[in-house]
Amino acid sequence: MSRTTISTHSASSANFQSIFDAALIKYKRKTKNDLLANQLTVQLEDCDSPGAILDLFNRQYNIQQFIQSRNDGGSSKQWLNTTVTVLCALSGALGQGVGMVFSPAKVIFAGIGVLLMAAKDVGASQDTLVDLFDRIETFFQRLEIYIKVRVTEAMKSLIAKIMAEILGILAIATKEIRQGWGKRYLKKLTGRTDIEDALTRLEKMSNDEALTATVQVLEAADSMDGKMEQVVDVTQQIESRVGDLNRDHLQENLQTWLSPPDPSINYNTARDAYHNGTATWFTRGHTYQDWKTSGSGSLFWVHGKVTLLLLILPPNSIAGSGKTILSSAIVDDFKQSLDTRPSHMVYFFFDFKDAAKQDIRALHTSLLVQLCRQSELCFKTLFDLYSTHDQGKQQPSETVLSRCLKSMFRVLGQVPIYLIIDALDECPNTSKSIGAPRSRQKVLEFLKELVELHLPNLHICVTSRPEFDIRNTFQQLARLKISLHDEDGQKQDIAEYVHSVIYSDNELVMKKWRQEIKDLVIKALSDKADGMFRWVVCQLETLRECLARNVERVLSELPESLDETYLRVLKGVKSANRGDVYRLLQCLVVAVRPLRVEELAEVLAMNFDSGDGIPQLNPDWRWEDQEEALQAACSSLIAIVDTGESRVVQFSHFSVKEFLTSPRLAVSSADVSRYHISLEPAHTILAQSCLGVLLRLPVHEDLHEDNSKREDNSEGEDRTEGEDNVNDRFPLAIYAAQYWVDHVQFKNGWNVSLTQTNSIFRRGFNSTT
């Protein structure tokens, strides 16, 4: 099909086309669907009125049946009427007399059709569209004012951006409906971050008080003679507003170009974990206040303590002292005070659970985009870099990113900049290739360079465990230091945390203890914690099911350290489950990306005792409740986290993974040293699991990340009601297809025999002959 271009009588037509081209590319990337080649888009060519469009929708998708199934008084029909009427009129206002020959209108209507088909195929998903339909209906009612006035060139640019944003919302909704198909739980579309962000952008475009007033004045000015001054003034206001929108559009381009990880996820998670008053001893303390007012690139290092174990082992940095919660408290402190004085605050959380937050490029790109959104000068600095890289078609090197960030710090002059970096020890002390600098070494060098710039407006705060390389660098570099284990305020925070847990309404057993038992537990845990929040969390896990008569005995037997705590957990694993638990932990250590609950649970359904080295998948061994299976096996060593798109399994704390792979566990007693994890055998287990799944797949099975065997089902073909997709039948299949080679070839070797892997290639060859 030939592509219909945006045709207007102004020089802006190319710009409009560019805006919508970008939206079409994003839509195709999210939905695997080319709307320009969609059958409905072609059929819409013959529609010359909103009524004709609605009739086509009814014939194509049986909208009346959809409306009746919702039992909401026909609000879906009303929504479609408003949408179609306004979109047709807006398209005509952009330069064509008949709206339907304007490409954005055609593809938006086709996108609505694809979304309705997705909802029609998934009965339960129809209800999930209700909130989204209501929000968009309200939005289009506001837009009706545009079709009553003479549209200026500035307004045309705004309309084009609005229509591109609408297409983006349709793409997100379609993808979510498709991914929700066949799952036990369907999430509401509104309330999700990506859709809420898009709807917020639409609100900004359509509901801005000044812009709405501007359009209304234009409407009045159209009916008046001799009011040219009003028209000129209003037009200038619109041009200014559109300038802001253009900047927002460029901001999005910069965000897409650098694709930084989002540290606010870590901030929000940590923020939710503490109660009012947490870390106030720190934010009100003299050292913290001194750091906020000192200059010349001052570095403030917040760390735990070091303890010496056996002479044959290196110094052990104590984990679990609540440094991430403290970092979130610092960010919170600045969020509350930034409005009272001109300053900038940027932050980053290194995260052992997220590979996207473990290197210097992640740090650079995140800080650059944050500053870019806070300062016009920083925006210009980054946009200049974008322009010199072929308008974002090329990626900048780490050196260039570092140079750009330093330029931003300089260009802000005397305006204070506060840089908070959490969990530097969770940046791996390894290199990505032989002979290359280690990831953490690069970050340490960068921080050293920042301090040596002696910028009077730059304030840096870093939290970490005192690992040898970090301690060696910061011992001289950091002017201010705090060891949390030495602070009375930390002990008080722990006591208040224990108090909040024991008195929580969620604690069915502990809240029924006598008052003297509760006081005893609070005192014992805060006294013995030695500043370690993680240790306290583990002990509360043991105590929460403890009857009152046993509390004193449990308190008298508390482990002295996190290591001893984890040893007790491992010793408590039933002998019949040891092999399963060990394999689960191995897979978590070496997984390329976080594993979903259903992916990791597949390992429990595999028979690793088969003779050929490839485990046999036995669906009868699957648990009905997979989360319960994993938690029963691994206890407090793991946590299940809702990412918004799925539920993934992670180690409950960085210290767990560190302990399982440490030489300390390897030299422990035989009953627990069996759980020590070496990387090569762990990769072998996950490689074998992947091969076991792939060998069970039907030969012609098609694997797609979007959980659907068909990229597009919008041209009228209905799925069979009982048709399953591969991800429901074989949850580990997608991961296996993508990453089995990574595990097989760990350290450039073959971790499973060539005979085993040849089975895969023989099946692939036979399927093509």
Side-chain angles (χ1 to χ4, degrees), residues 297-301 447-448 451-452 454 468-481:
S298 63
L299 176 63
F300 181 18
W301 181 33
L447 292 173
K448 185 171 183 289
V451 172
E452 292 176 349
H454 299 294
F468 176 78
D469 57 330
I470 298 175
R471 188 170 71 252
N472 192 45
T473 300
F474 285 173
Q475 207 66 265
Q476 300 298 323
L477 199 63
R479 187 177 71 82
L480 301 169
K481 310 179 190 71

Side-chain angles (χ1 to χ4, degrees), residues 591-612:
V592 177
R593 61 158 172 78
L595 293 169
R596 293 181 288 112
V597 167
E598 54 269 29
E599 289 175 331
L600 184 60
E602 281 291 88
V603 178
L604 294 175
M606 291 187 179
N607 181 4
F608 285 84
D609 297 328
S610 57
D612 62 356

Side-chain angles (χ1 to χ4, degrees), residues 121 137 159 171 241 247 291 324 393 397 434 444 495 514 516 530 542 553 567 589 594 622 714 758 765:
D121 284 344
E137 178 188 354
I159 291 170
R241 179 69 183 122
R247 186 179 184 279
W291 167 70
T324 295
K393 294 183 177 65
S397 66
I434 298 175
L444 289 170
R514 299 190 315 276
E516 54 267 30
D530 197 20
T542 301
R553 177 182 58 79
L567 286 172
V589 165
R622 290 172 176 157
S714 61
N758 279 343
F765 176 77

Side-chain angles (χ1 to χ4, degrees), residues 679-690:
L679 296 184
E680 190 165 336
H683 278 284
T684 299
I685 286 294
L686 194 44
Q688 290 174 332
S689 301
C690 290

